[in-house]
Amino acid sequence: MKIRMSIEQSDDEKIIKKVMEKYHFDKEAENELKAVYKKMLLCMSPYAIYKMNQRDTGVKFVDDRQSAIVAMTLGCGVDSLEERLTNEGKLDEAYMLECIAGEMLLNMYKDFNRSYARFHRRYVERYVFIGDEIPVTVIPRLLEEIKGSKPGITTGTVTDAEASEELSVLDEDEIGLKTAVDADEITTNEYGVLSPSKSVIFYAILTENPNQVCEGICNSCQNDRCDNRIKDRHLQLEHCMLYCRKKD
């Protein structure tokens, strides 16, 4: 299944404020952050592609539960914009793009959770990331497995009006345009490095209990031991390290 996700923010001020707080930008950087954010909105093509997992992973928690293999991306346009900013020597703007892109990816998890529940009446309980308990060497096989299934159009109780609120399911004509030469296609090299670079792949552990819905990867989660919350700290640390290298 392939879905195009709409992660446009209803409150641009909110996401800029969150990025400023999380990555410690001064007030003077606010207008520049907004400008970079607007450029990103024009070039993003976010989507998710997924398939029910039917293979043993060797991780008991995954193998004993119903799960889906999911790959998500912001699209190649964000990479192209970052490359252009870097080539033009606008390193501050390129770093801002990295920070905003990280926040947008976090929002995609929440959007995917809501979308999956809407279409399948199953709920994402938590994520298992490749590279933690599952080696990155399996990424090429996982991508082949996801793409090997014929992209479907979700039917049933979901109406067109409901689906258009947050995402659009690609029709067959649009899917036909997404060929192997399409730069927005999620690919990987032999080392498990994804392209476009603003892409992720993971297992979504599913439940039929709507009361166990995962909030996404966030600091607001009240579960201090939640793996997804811990993962967000790792993301922030990586961005801080990137910033320190840039300042040096």
Side-chain angles (χ1 to χ4, degrees):
M1 177 68 67
K2 190 172 188 178
I3 55 175
R4 185 169 52 223
M5 307 182 73
S6 66
I7 55 174
E8 296 178 2
Q9 301 298 310
S10 57
D11 187 350
D12 293 354
E13 298 290 337
K14 184 176 181 179
I15 190 171
I16 295 301
K17 181 179 180 181
K18 191 168 185 178
V19 169
M20 291 179 67
E21 291 176 350
K22 183 180 290 188
Y23 302 105
H24 309 293
F25 284 103
D26 296 330
K27 179 66 175 177
E28 290 74 14
E30 183 173 0
N31 289 336
E32 194 171 7
L33 278 167
K34 289 180 179 179
V36 173
Y37 176 64
K38 289 180 180 178
K39 292 178 182 178
M40 288 180 62
L41 290 181
L42 293 174
C43 66
M44 284 195 311
S45 52
Y47 73 86
I49 183 169
Y50 61 94
K51 180 182 179 182
M52 291 300 297
N53 177 45
Q54 298 178 344
R55 293 177 178 267
D56 289 339
T57 65
V59 178
K60 183 175 175 58
F61 185 82
V62 179
D63 297 339
D64 289 349
R65 306 288 297 276
Q66 189 178 50
S67 63
I69 312 168
V70 187
M72 300 192 304
T73 185
L74 291 178
C76 68
V78 177
D79 286 355
S80 297
L81 175 59
E82 182 174 11
E83 182 179 3
R84 178 164 64 83
L85 292 174
T86 301
N87 290 340
E88 292 174 356
K90 299 177 180 179
L91 301 184
D92 287 339
E93 291 184 35
Y95 171 67
M96 290 177 178
L97 180 148
E98 281 283 340
C99 296
I100 298 172
E103 196 64 32
M104 300 297 269
L105 277 173
L106 292 181
N107 288 341
M108 282 186 74
Y109 288 100
K110 292 181 285 188
D111 284 351
F112 178 80
N113 292 355
R114 290 193 295 264
S115 301
Y116 196 93
R118 168 170 289 169
F119 284 108
H120 302 290
R121 299 298 184 261
R122 295 290 187 275
Y123 306 90
V124 178
E125 182 178 351
R126 60 162 286 185
Y127 316 108
V128 175
F129 291 93
I130 312 303
D132 292 343
E133 298 175 90
I134 301 174
V136 296
T137 53
V138 306
I139 289 180
R141 178 179 62 79
L142 291 182
L143 281 178
E144 288 182 4
E145 189 167 337
I146 296 174
K147 297 173 185 179
S149 61
K150 182 178 180 180
I153 304 302
T154 301
T155 59
T157 59
V158 182
T159 66
D160 290 341
E162 288 176 320
S164 64
E165 288 176 2
E166 295 178 317
L167 58 89
S168 299
V169 179
L170 298 182
D171 59 34
E172 292 190 3
D173 289 337
E174 289 174 307
I175 290 170
L177 296 176
K178 292 295 184 180
T179 64
V181 297
D182 189 338
D184 272 334
E185 182 182 11
I186 303 175
T187 60
T188 181
N189 63 17
E190 60 183 310
Y191 303 107
V193 178
L194 295 172
S195 178
S197 67
K198 308 304 184 289
S199 304
V200 291
I201 185 167
F202 57 93
Y203 285 90
I205 308 301
L206 306 173
T207 178
E208 296 183 5
N209 183 357
N211 296 322
Q212 294 186 6
V213 175
C214 180
E215 296 182 32
I217 302 179
C218 57
N219 284 325
S220 62
C221 178
Q222 298 303 308
N223 183 359
D224 290 336
R225 300 183 64 82
C226 174
D227 289 342
N228 298 335
R229 178 176 178 177
I230 294 171
K231 188 71 176 180
D232 185 34
R233 292 172 182 165
H234 290 174
L235 289 171
Q236 292 185 55
L237 178 59
E238 289 172 4
H239 281 296
C240 288
M241 292 173 66
L242 172 65
Y243 181 69
C244 290
R245 289 197 297 269
K246 183 178 76 67
K247 296 295 285 186
D248 290 341

